[in-house]
Amino acid sequence: MRYKIPVSALFLLLIFNVCYARPYFGFGVGYTVKNIYTDIEGFVEDEKGVPLLGLGLGYGFNISIINLNLGTNMDFFGMDLVRGNREITLFVKPCVIASVPLRLKELSFSPLIGYGGIYKRRYIKESTYLKGENRYLNPANYEGKNIELLFGGMLSYSDWFIPSFYCVKDIVVFHTVNLLVRTPVGELNTPYLNLTYTGGEETRTISLGLTFHLD
Amino acid sequence: MKKIVMFILVVLYLSGCANIPKKFLPPIYEKRYPLIAGVQTSKDVAHIRIDSMLVDIIAKSELTSGVLNEPFDKEMVDIVIGVKDFSLSKKEGGEIQGRLSLEIFAPDGNPMKTFNAEAISKETERLLFDLLTIALDKMAFYLEEVTIEPHHKVFKEEKMATSDITLHYPTLTDFRRKTILVKTAIQGNVPPKEVKIVLNEKNQVMKAPFHSQELYFEHLKNIDAQKEWLYSGNVNSKNLPFNTLIEYSILSTDIMGNEDTLKKGELHTISKGLFRLKQAEILVHGTIITTAGGLVIMMLLYSL
């Protein structure tokens, strides 16, 4: 119940601002360096060394001097693609971030504050996994989340070099470093190269992708 | 297994950077007449498509030196062209047969001559184009035989124009692209005969232009009581130098030889190093796209 009012307020705000919104969309490929989860029997597993496919969606708009940015980044793990199992792990990283840019000539710096984090879901096709001699085992699905207040900062040099960073209160638990880069003197709607590093106690992924900002 | 994957990715990546050539409409009609034609709007609503196609084809051809659509002042034109009759009928075998009849009038309304055309085609668009081409061919032949004195109102007019110039860099479909895209919208009463862009290197001792290119007609619009012509072109000179300040001017000439400078400005081309960097950038884009695509395909294959 206590979420209904802020969510509806945000929804109304979105409707009024959608005409001036700057949507963005991105996709990329990456690699999982660390992915620790606890399975249903209490064993701690680390599924690492797997390629991942990233997708990002979101949009930003202005309310007077504040830039509000809503987005979700999803990492899909084609787990064990080469080895033949059928399972998928999904990291969803939603965030709502507000920032106030401070400009000095070509350089712009803004501290970020927001709400979001990481939500992990691991799904394995039971009919494949739990068959034959494995049919008495417990299912290996897993869900975990870490969604809190976010803090960070963003730097922007002209429009072609934009590093940014945000983390939860305890930086060790979850943090993300992101770099958007493209060649200077670009045409309108040229995509950015998007290098992302997500780290934390239980996860570590890196990815390289393309992000299209439409505005 | 890994070798096959690498091979597929390399093939996808190489084909992603291919150069796709552009197609151009061949010019029709060699002779240019100092006449200005007006195209009547057909009374039959079903013929409006033909009217706009007619304006388009005449403007892109050398049949007249300018074309106006309705509404136009009778004093501004020498001949008026109208669609007299048009019909389509379906034949067996999925083919459509079309009949078109164009008529020329003198500006005071007296009919001068009628030109008929007949054609058969499978597609309507192609059929309309063929019919108009046949009829206009006959018209061109007639106008060559009969000399019509131009008596359209002759006056010099200051044109109003808005122009847009964009520098274009390499992309995935054209790896070596280095062009300037020019778009000009000209508002006025007198159709322009020629619109061109002239490029000069700034700070050159000699004022000779290093490049001059004609822009092509796109379409014609009515704005209040005047017309607006949209011209565009892609300046694709091999001599377009790197890292140079270039002065450009967009000029328009009308049938009387009056020249108007529509826009003057400067642009700075990028350096060779930045050009190579842009090419490297799109190679990276191509690699990411093909790798992501390959990964998606493999995920699908393995989930079936």
Side-chain angles (χ1 to χ4, degrees), chain A residues 183, chain B residues 168-170 175-179 242 270-281:
Chain A
T183 50
Chain B
H168 276 319
Y169 306 117
F175 193 61
R176 281 180 273 270
R177 185 170 72 164
K178 188 179 52 146
T179 62
F242 285 113
I270 57 174
S271 64
K272 190 157 189 178
L274 187 54
F275 183 74
R276 296 270 174 250
L277 192 65
K278 284 192 188 291
Q279 289 184 315
E281 184 191 22

mmCIF file of all heavy atoms in Angstrom, chain A residues 183, chain B residues 168-170 175-179 242 270-281:
data_model
loop_
_atom_site.group_PDB
_atom_site.id
_atom_site.type_symbol
_atom_site.label_atom_id
_atom_site.label_comp_id
_atom_site.label_asym_id
_atom_site.label_seq_id
_atom_site.Cartn_x
_atom_site.Cartn_y
_atom_site.Cartn_z
ATOM 1 N N THR A 183 33.213 8.729 -31.238
ATOM 2 C CA THR A 183 34.193 9.663 -31.790
ATOM 3 C C THR A 183 33.617 11.072 -31.766
ATOM 4 O O THR A 183 32.418 11.269 -31.938
ATOM 5 C CB THR A 183 34.562 9.310 -33.248
ATOM 6 O OG1 THR A 183 33.362 9.135 -33.981
ATOM 7 C CG2 THR A 183 35.380 8.044 -33.311
ATOM 8 N N HIS B 168 28.666 14.001 -43.685
ATOM 9 C CA HIS B 168 28.403 12.591 -43.414
ATOM 10 C C HIS B 168 29.691 11.803 -43.350
ATOM 11 O O HIS B 168 30.589 11.987 -44.168
ATOM 12 C CB HIS B 168 27.505 12.007 -44.509
ATOM 13 C CG HIS B 168 26.060 12.255 -44.262
ATOM 14 N ND1 HIS B 168 25.492 12.146 -43.026
ATOM 15 C CD2 HIS B 168 25.062 12.604 -45.085
ATOM 16 C CE1 HIS B 168 24.216 12.421 -43.107
ATOM 17 N NE2 HIS B 168 23.922 12.709 -44.345
ATOM 18 N N TYR B 169 29.746 10.911 -42.398
ATOM 19 C CA TYR B 169 30.959 10.133 -42.146
ATOM 20 C C TYR B 169 30.694 8.664 -42.413
ATOM 21 O O TYR B 169 29.565 8.265 -42.647
ATOM 22 C CB TYR B 169 31.393 10.347 -40.695
ATOM 23 C CG TYR B 169 31.543 11.795 -40.353
ATOM 24 C CD1 TYR B 169 30.742 12.396 -39.399
ATOM 25 C CD2 TYR B 169 32.477 12.577 -41.026
ATOM 26 C CE1 TYR B 169 30.872 13.737 -39.115
ATOM 27 C CE2 TYR B 169 32.604 13.915 -40.739
ATOM 28 C CZ TYR B 169 31.808 14.491 -39.778
ATOM 29 O OH TYR B 169 31.927 15.810 -39.501
ATOM 30 N N PRO B 170 31.744 7.795 -42.323
ATOM 31 C CA PRO B 170 31.535 6.380 -42.638
ATOM 32 C C PRO B 170 30.485 5.713 -41.754
ATOM 33 O O PRO B 170 30.338 6.023 -40.581
ATOM 34 C CB PRO B 170 32.902 5.746 -42.362
ATOM 35 C CG PRO B 170 33.868 6.829 -42.456
ATOM 36 C CD PRO B 170 33.169 8.089 -42.115
ATOM 37 N N PHE B 175 31.650 2.254 -46.017
ATOM 38 C CA PHE B 175 32.824 2.361 -45.165
ATOM 39 C C PHE B 175 33.694 3.567 -45.473
ATOM 40 O O PHE B 175 34.411 4.050 -44.614
ATOM 41 C CB PHE B 175 33.648 1.076 -45.328
ATOM 42 C CG PHE B 175 34.716 0.901 -44.313
ATOM 43 C CD1 PHE B 175 34.412 0.808 -42.970
ATOM 44 C CD2 PHE B 175 36.047 0.815 -44.695
ATOM 45 C CE1 PHE B 175 35.402 0.637 -42.029
ATOM 46 C CE2 PHE B 175 37.042 0.636 -43.757
ATOM 47 C CZ PHE B 175 36.717 0.544 -42.426
ATOM 48 N N ARG B 176 33.621 4.058 -46.708
ATOM 49 C CA ARG B 176 34.516 5.155 -47.056
ATOM 50 C C ARG B 176 33.753 6.449 -47.312
ATOM 51 O O ARG B 176 34.238 7.338 -47.975
ATOM 52 C CB ARG B 176 35.311 4.793 -48.316
ATOM 53 C CG ARG B 176 36.471 3.878 -48.033
ATOM 54 C CD ARG B 176 37.209 3.562 -49.325
ATOM 55 N NE ARG B 176 36.612 2.434 -49.972
ATOM 56 C CZ ARG B 176 36.976 1.177 -49.755
ATOM 57 N NH1 ARG B 176 37.941 0.909 -48.914
ATOM 58 N NH2 ARG B 176 36.364 0.189 -50.371
ATOM 59 N N ARG B 177 32.537 6.550 -46.753
ATOM 60 C CA ARG B 177 31.721 7.712 -47.044
ATOM 61 C C ARG B 177 32.325 8.982 -46.484
ATOM 62 O O ARG B 177 32.778 9.029 -45.345
ATOM 63 C CB ARG B 177 30.321 7.496 -46.455
ATOM 64 C CG ARG B 177 29.358 8.589 -46.813
ATOM 65 C CD ARG B 177 27.965 8.241 -46.424
ATOM 66 N NE ARG B 177 27.769 8.277 -44.987
ATOM 67 C CZ ARG B 177 26.573 8.307 -44.412
ATOM 68 N NH1 ARG B 177 25.504 8.309 -45.159
ATOM 69 N NH2 ARG B 177 26.473 8.317 -43.109
ATOM 70 N N LYS B 178 32.341 10.001 -47.312
ATOM 71 C CA LYS B 178 32.868 11.304 -46.876
ATOM 72 C C LYS B 178 32.120 12.314 -47.740
ATOM 73 O O LYS B 178 32.624 12.788 -48.738
ATOM 74 C CB LYS B 178 34.373 11.323 -47.179
ATOM 75 C CG LYS B 178 35.109 12.511 -46.622
ATOM 76 C CD LYS B 178 36.602 12.479 -46.929
ATOM 77 C CE LYS B 178 36.921 12.281 -48.374
ATOM 78 N NZ LYS B 178 38.124 12.987 -48.832
ATOM 79 N N THR B 179 30.864 12.565 -47.402
ATOM 80 C CA THR B 179 30.047 13.400 -48.284
ATOM 81 C C THR B 179 29.394 14.521 -47.507
ATOM 82 O O THR B 179 29.359 14.535 -46.287
ATOM 83 C CB THR B 179 28.921 12.589 -48.945
ATOM 84 O OG1 THR B 179 28.064 12.095 -47.909
ATOM 85 C CG2 THR B 179 29.447 11.430 -49.741
ATOM 86 N N PHE B 242 40.772 16.993 -46.407
ATOM 87 C CA PHE B 242 40.659 16.808 -44.966
ATOM 88 C C PHE B 242 41.078 18.068 -44.250
ATOM 89 O O PHE B 242 41.908 18.822 -44.735
ATOM 90 C CB PHE B 242 41.589 15.672 -44.517
ATOM 91 C CG PHE B 242 41.081 14.313 -44.856
ATOM 92 C CD1 PHE B 242 41.745 13.522 -45.787
ATOM 93 C CD2 PHE B 242 39.944 13.804 -44.261
ATOM 94 C CE1 PHE B 242 41.285 12.264 -46.090
ATOM 95 C CE2 PHE B 242 39.478 12.546 -44.572
ATOM 96 C CZ PHE B 242 40.151 11.772 -45.493
ATOM 97 N N ILE B 270 36.673 17.138 -41.269
ATOM 98 C CA ILE B 270 37.458 16.524 -40.194
ATOM 99 C C ILE B 270 38.843 16.128 -40.700
ATOM 100 O O ILE B 270 39.071 16.027 -41.890
ATOM 101 C CB ILE B 270 36.760 15.282 -39.608
ATOM 102 C CG1 ILE B 270 36.481 14.251 -40.706
ATOM 103 C CG2 ILE B 270 35.488 15.686 -38.890
ATOM 104 C CD1 ILE B 270 35.934 12.942 -40.168
ATOM 105 N N SER B 271 39.731 15.867 -39.761
ATOM 106 C CA SER B 271 41.099 15.513 -40.137
ATOM 107 C C SER B 271 41.151 14.045 -40.559
ATOM 108 O O SER B 271 40.241 13.270 -40.284
ATOM 109 C CB SER B 271 42.024 15.731 -38.952
ATOM 110 O OG SER B 271 41.668 14.844 -37.914
ATOM 111 N N LYS B 272 42.253 13.668 -41.201
ATOM 112 C CA LYS B 272 42.375 12.300 -41.701
ATOM 113 C C LYS B 272 42.423 11.311 -40.534
ATOM 114 O O LYS B 272 41.886 10.210 -40.626
ATOM 115 C CB LYS B 272 43.651 12.187 -42.535
ATOM 116 C CG LYS B 272 43.745 10.899 -43.295
ATOM 117 C CD LYS B 272 44.662 11.025 -44.479
ATOM 118 C CE LYS B 272 44.537 9.764 -45.329
ATOM 119 N NZ LYS B 272 45.344 9.820 -46.524
ATOM 120 N N GLY B 273 43.082 11.731 -39.443
ATOM 121 C CA GLY B 273 43.169 10.853 -38.278
ATOM 122 C C GLY B 273 41.795 10.548 -37.702
ATOM 123 O O GLY B 273 41.483 9.398 -37.376
ATOM 124 N N LEU B 274 40.970 11.570 -37.591
ATOM 125 C CA LEU B 274 39.625 11.373 -37.050
ATOM 126 C C LEU B 274 38.784 10.522 -37.991
ATOM 127 O O LEU B 274 37.978 9.697 -37.552
ATOM 128 C CB LEU B 274 38.952 12.729 -36.822
ATOM 129 C CG LEU B 274 37.605 12.709 -36.104
ATOM 130 C CD1 LEU B 274 37.706 11.983 -34.786
ATOM 131 C CD2 LEU B 274 37.086 14.124 -35.890
ATOM 132 N N PHE B 275 39.009 10.682 -39.294
ATOM 133 C CA PHE B 275 38.306 9.865 -40.272
ATOM 134 C C PHE B 275 38.655 8.395 -40.087
ATOM 135 O O PHE B 275 37.781 7.517 -40.074
ATOM 136 C CB PHE B 275 38.679 10.344 -41.674
ATOM 137 C CG PHE B 275 37.978 9.641 -42.790
ATOM 138 C CD1 PHE B 275 36.651 9.908 -43.053
ATOM 139 C CD2 PHE B 275 38.638 8.702 -43.568
ATOM 140 C CE1 PHE B 275 35.992 9.259 -44.084
ATOM 141 C CE2 PHE B 275 37.991 8.057 -44.602
ATOM 142 C CZ PHE B 275 36.669 8.329 -44.857
ATOM 143 N N ARG B 276 39.946 8.098 -39.901
ATOM 144 C CA ARG B 276 40.358 6.705 -39.682
ATOM 145 C C ARG B 276 39.782 6.187 -38.380
ATOM 146 O O ARG B 276 39.373 5.035 -38.261
ATOM 147 C CB ARG B 276 41.893 6.614 -39.615
ATOM 148 C CG ARG B 276 42.593 6.983 -40.888
ATOM 149 C CD ARG B 276 42.801 5.784 -41.790
ATOM 150 N NE ARG B 276 43.361 6.196 -43.067
ATOM 151 C CZ ARG B 276 42.699 6.180 -44.215
ATOM 152 N NH1 ARG B 276 41.446 5.781 -44.257
ATOM 153 N NH2 ARG B 276 43.281 6.573 -45.319
ATOM 154 N N LEU B 277 39.724 7.062 -37.362
ATOM 155 C CA LEU B 277 39.157 6.662 -36.073
ATOM 156 C C LEU B 277 37.689 6.303 -36.222
ATOM 157 O O LEU B 277 37.197 5.344 -35.633
ATOM 158 C CB LEU B 277 39.328 7.804 -35.062
ATOM 159 C CG LEU B 277 39.055 7.463 -33.602
ATOM 160 C CD1 LEU B 277 40.077 6.453 -33.124
ATOM 161 C CD2 LEU B 277 39.104 8.715 -32.748
ATOM 162 N N LYS B 278 36.982 7.068 -37.059
ATOM 163 C CA LYS B 278 35.559 6.776 -37.287
ATOM 164 C C LYS B 278 35.400 5.443 -38.002
ATOM 165 O O LYS B 278 34.464 4.683 -37.725
ATOM 166 C CB LYS B 278 34.894 7.886 -38.096
ATOM 167 C CG LYS B 278 34.630 9.113 -37.252
ATOM 168 C CD LYS B 278 33.723 10.096 -37.949
ATOM 169 C CE LYS B 278 33.622 11.383 -37.187
ATOM 170 N NZ LYS B 278 32.896 11.241 -35.926
ATOM 171 N N GLN B 279 36.299 5.155 -38.922
ATOM 172 C CA GLN B 279 36.231 3.858 -39.593
ATOM 173 C C GLN B 279 36.483 2.740 -38.590
ATOM 174 O O GLN B 279 35.797 1.712 -38.596
ATOM 175 C CB GLN B 279 37.254 3.791 -40.718
ATOM 176 C CG GLN B 279 36.891 4.672 -41.891
ATOM 177 C CD GLN B 279 37.859 4.522 -43.039
ATOM 178 O OE1 GLN B 279 39.070 4.513 -42.837
ATOM 179 N NE2 GLN B 279 37.332 4.425 -44.243
ATOM 180 N N ALA B 280 37.452 2.940 -37.682
ATOM 181 C CA ALA B 280 37.709 1.928 -36.658
ATOM 182 C C ALA B 280 36.492 1.779 -35.761
ATOM 183 O O ALA B 280 36.121 0.664 -35.369
ATOM 184 C CB ALA B 280 38.927 2.327 -35.827
ATOM 185 N N GLU B 281 35.836 2.900 -35.452
ATOM 186 C CA GLU B 281 34.664 2.861 -34.596
ATOM 187 C C GLU B 281 33.565 1.999 -35.199
ATOM 188 O O GLU B 281 32.949 1.184 -34.521
ATOM 189 C CB GLU B 281 34.135 4.278 -34.370
ATOM 190 C CG GLU B 281 32.966 4.345 -33.418
ATOM 191 C CD GLU B 281 32.280 5.707 -33.403
ATOM 192 O OE1 GLU B 281 32.416 6.463 -34.385
ATOM 193 O OE2 GLU B 281 31.620 6.003 -32.409
#
